[in-house]
Amino acid sequence: MSTAARSFRDCLGRFASGVTVVTVRSGEAVHGATVSSFTSVSLEPPLVMVSLDRRSRMCAALDGAGFGINILAAGQQDLALHFAGRPAQPAAPVLWEPSDGAPRLAGAAAYLDCTSWAAYDGGDHVLYVGAVRSFDSDDREPLVFHGGAFRALDRSPKESAWTGSLDGPADGAWAPGVTALLTSLGH
């Protein structure tokens, strides 16, 4: 990778993203690849997109095939590394959920089962758009990737962005100091 390409990749790494494993069935074989280039495209019809390196084996497997997008949950770093070709040693078994569609990983925060909608040239990548035929999610925290490392969401309490503002949320979700101030002012 050239220095300019590496610098560009590092710049893009400043954008935090979720971590997915794209899965596809080929006969009896199941293939998967860790992908962070995933986005929603449309609500009506429901469409999503993944971007895959055109040199990857998964790129060839996805050509015209239905696929699954497994949005990994916090704590599933080992699965992300496994499907990125760097499994833990010794490798833990991959657990699957029953699925009538594309392969579905157990424990994922969300799952989308897609049929092939379109594929577009994206330079050294191919952009695969899938029509979502079914989906499922739960309340698990997502696995996040930022700056070349897996991260957890920071849920520590912080001052509200509205602290000190009189233009804050109408639902009463004020910072305690602002609520006390407004109460003392008779609001």
Side-chain angles (χ1 to χ4, degrees), residues 9-142:
R9 183 176 178 173
D10 290 346
C11 178
L12 295 175
R14 303 315 305 157
F15 182 74
S17 66
V19 181
T20 70
V21 172
V22 176
T23 54
V24 64
R25 191 177 317 278
S26 178
E28 294 298 314
V30 171
H31 303 281
T34 301
V35 176
S36 61
S37 296
F38 160 74
T39 191
S40 61
V41 174
S42 168
L43 294 177
E44 293 293 331
L47 301 173
V48 294
M49 184 198 74
V50 294
S51 175
L52 295 171
D53 187 319
R54 67 175 58 256
R55 298 169 298 173
S56 70
R57 289 178 297 199
M58 180 55 98
C59 190
L62 235 58
D63 192 29
F67 56 94
I69 299 172
N70 299 268
I71 300 173
L72 297 187
Q76 290 188 306
Q77 296 91 330
D78 287 348
L79 271 178
L81 292 171
H82 175 87
F83 286 102
R86 296 179 284 168
Q89 297 301 324
V94 175
L95 302 176
W96 300 94
E97 294 281 339
S99 172
D100 292 331
R104 180 177 181 172
L105 289 167
Y111 169 78
L112 300 106
D113 182 50
C114 305
T115 59
S116 179
W117 176 273
Y120 301 99
D121 179 11
D124 60 1
H125 280 60
V126 177
L127 311 176
Y128 289 99
V129 177
V132 179
R133 57 183 165 198
S134 66
F135 61 92
D136 188 26
S137 66
D138 62 29
D139 291 337
R140 292 175 214 194
E141 293 287 330

